[in-house]
Amino acid sequence: MESPTSAASRPDFFDFLDRMRRPAAADLFRSIKSFLVSFSFNEPNAEEDGSKVQAFLTEMEDAIRDHPLWANATNQEIDHALEGLEKYIMTKLFDRTFGTSSVDAITDMEISEKIGLLQQFVKPHHLDIPKVLHNEASWLLAVKELQKINSFKAPREKLLCIMSCCQVINNLLLNISMSSDRTLSGADEFLPILIYITIKANPPQLHSNLKFVQLFRRETKLISEVEYYLTNLISAKMFIIDVNARSLSMEESEFQKHMESARLATQISVANPSSSQGLPTYARAHKEETDLAGSRFPFMDSETESLNPEEVKQLHDLYRQVVTRYTLLSKALRKLSIDEDQLLSSVDDS
């Protein structure tokens, strides 16, 4: 199973950047730069931007195939170059193309809110997941993979998070099938588990992430197994949006009771500043922003003259914590062989 952070997921990009630095690549780089600049002439429009990106990738495939830097290259090497190109342009265009629509932002918030409520009462049996398919360890792994999706900017890497999550589920079903002579029934067993995993994970900006992958991942890559998994996660999203008593195998009165209890519990959690447990993703993020300006940095708005000796001591302790964390972080960063942002900048400057 390939991870977005694995070594196997990076060489395509590094090799592409390396070739783009060469003088022989000047014509290709000018085309790429011109394409990126062209976006500044129009307001963001996801569908139109997606069409432009797809057309450019198709055009550049022909240019790369005919270019001396890829003379005698195999189809796989051409594909690797296109993977690098997609990541490069979409990293540059990310702030323009991801989650910029107010409609998308509202949809993301509504889905996160809905999942936050469902998390408080939905159990596997509500989705008709048989006990033989219960496996908390595998489910937790799938949850963690899906929650990584917002850590990446490239469509391929976001898609790899979806793939990793779905492959965990698929492997679970295969293992149970082989060990218990159980006949798999395809999406009838796969989709309910994916819905449950999605509810448990409450991945940030689920709608925007799915839309981004659909619009900006190379169309020739959205086929076969990839298409199947992506379609299933889209179906899981739609299930959550349209969820009702019948879809959870319960009476309407019971469903409404659970939803009202969940809403009340969420309101209490929001009102209680001592804990953000149980809050949906958007609410936790808002609380963390509040913390940044408040208790986590209590002296941000203080004047030096107003500090008493005890507060100076507290400030010194906080300073020591910052230095310690910075030192540890610096050591960790030095262990990374290449900083991708630095690579992007180096290509621009070459």
Side-chain angles (χ1 to χ4, degrees):
M1 183 189 309
E2 186 180 352
S3 165
T5 56
S6 69
S9 70
R10 296 194 296 265
D12 306 338
F13 186 53
F14 292 168
D15 179 68
F16 172 77
L17 292 180
D18 180 64
R19 297 193 193 215
M20 284 296 103
R21 292 193 193 94
R22 302 178 191 179
D27 56 334
L28 291 179
F29 187 70
R30 280 194 297 270
S31 296
I32 296 169
K33 197 77 171 179
S34 176
F35 173 72
L36 293 174
V37 170
S38 70
F39 279 83
S40 63
F41 301 139
N42 304 104
E43 290 296 317
N45 182 298
E47 286 71 20
E48 291 180 4
D49 289 349
S51 296
K52 286 177 63 176
V53 167
Q54 296 295 340
F56 181 71
L57 290 171
T58 300
E59 174 188 328
M60 287 299 292
E61 180 176 0
D62 294 333
I64 288 172
R65 286 187 183 278
D66 295 335
H67 200 275
L69 281 176
W70 279 272
N72 302 316
T74 64
N75 287 334
Q76 184 180 42
E77 289 170 333
I78 298 296
D79 184 68
H80 286 177
L82 291 169
E83 294 287 29
L85 175 61
E86 180 191 277
K87 178 170 180 174
Y88 180 81
I89 64 173
M90 292 317 303
T91 300
K92 291 291 187 180
L93 294 173
F94 183 78
D95 291 340
R96 174 195 172 95
T97 56
F98 181 82
T100 56
S101 162
S102 59
V103 175
D104 290 339
I106 291 171
T107 302
D108 283 326
M109 185 180 69
E110 289 176 345
I111 292 173
S112 184
E113 286 181 342
K114 177 75 74 65
I115 292 177
L117 300 178
L118 296 175
Q119 281 179 333
Q120 300 182 49
F121 68 90
V122 170
K123 305 299 180 186
H125 69 267
H126 291 128
L127 299 168
D128 298 324
I129 302 173
K131 287 189 177 181
V132 68
L133 300 182
H134 292 199
N135 188 310
E136 291 294 337
S138 292
W139 289 357
L140 178 60
L141 178 57
V143 164
K144 295 298 183 183
E145 291 297 327
L146 192 55
Q147 288 175 334
K148 294 176 184 177
I149 195 168
N150 239 31
S151 301
F152 304 97
K153 293 183 177 181
R156 175 176 179 262
E157 291 170 350
K158 288 181 178 293
L159 187 56
L160 282 175
C161 294
I162 297 172
M163 292 288 291
S164 296
C165 169
C166 291
Q167 285 168 351
V168 170
I169 299 171
N170 194 54
N171 290 340
L172 169 64
L173 294 176
L174 288 173
N175 290 336
I176 292 175
S177 175
M178 290 186 292
S179 62
S180 63
D181 293 326
R182 180 186 178 89
T183 302
L184 293 176
S185 56
D188 290 341
E189 291 181 331
F190 180 88
L191 182 57
I193 296 178
L194 181 58
I195 292 170
Y196 186 67
I197 295 301
T198 305
I199 292 173
K200 296 284 283 185
N202 198 357
Q205 295 177 279
L206 177 61
H207 169 73
S208 289
N209 275 295
L210 289 171
K211 182 176 179 178
F212 183 74
V213 170
Q214 287 178 284
L215 290 175
F216 298 106
R217 179 61 172 140
R218 272 195 295 159
E219 291 175 344
T220 55
K221 293 296 182 179
L222 296 179
I223 59 173
S224 189
E225 183 183 38
V226 174
E227 182 182 28
Y228 174 76
Y229 288 150
L230 180 61
T231 300
N232 270 275
L233 187 55
I234 294 170
S235 296
K237 182 197 77 170
M238 296 309 301
F239 177 95
I240 291 166
I241 290 175
D242 299 329
V243 70
N244 54 36
R246 183 177 179 183
S247 57
L248 294 178
S249 304
M250 62 175 62
E251 296 295 328
E252 181 65 29
S253 59
E254 182 186 4
F255 175 72
Q256 293 300 334
K257 181 180 178 181
H258 280 305
M259 291 294 283
E260 285 303 318
S261 296
R263 288 190 186 96
L264 179 60
T266 300
Q267 291 169 3
I268 293 173
S269 296
V270 172
N272 181 6
S274 65
S275 173
S276 61
Q277 185 176 2
L279 292 179
T281 303
Y282 79 95
R284 286 198 302 270
H286 177 72
K287 183 179 184 301
E288 288 169 3
E289 288 177 5
T290 303
D291 286 344
L292 283 173
S295 61
R296 284 172 60 185
F297 300 106
F299 302 109
M300 282 296 291
D301 298 322
S302 299
E303 296 293 335
T304 306
E305 297 79 7
S306 68
L307 298 177
N308 60 41
E310 180 61 29
E311 289 173 333
V312 172
K313 182 178 181 302
Q314 291 179 34
L315 186 59
H316 183 250
D317 289 340
L318 288 171
Y319 168 77
R320 293 174 64 183
Q321 291 177 28
V322 169
V323 172
T324 300
R325 291 174 182 175
Y326 172 79
T327 303
L328 292 172
L329 179 60
S330 297
K331 289 180 180 178
L333 288 174
R334 280 196 295 271
K335 292 181 181 179
L336 297 176
S337 58
I338 299 177
D339 177 13
E340 290 186 358
D341 288 337
Q342 185 178 4
L343 278 172
L344 290 169
S345 298
S346 69
V347 172
D348 287 344
D349 296 338
S350 61

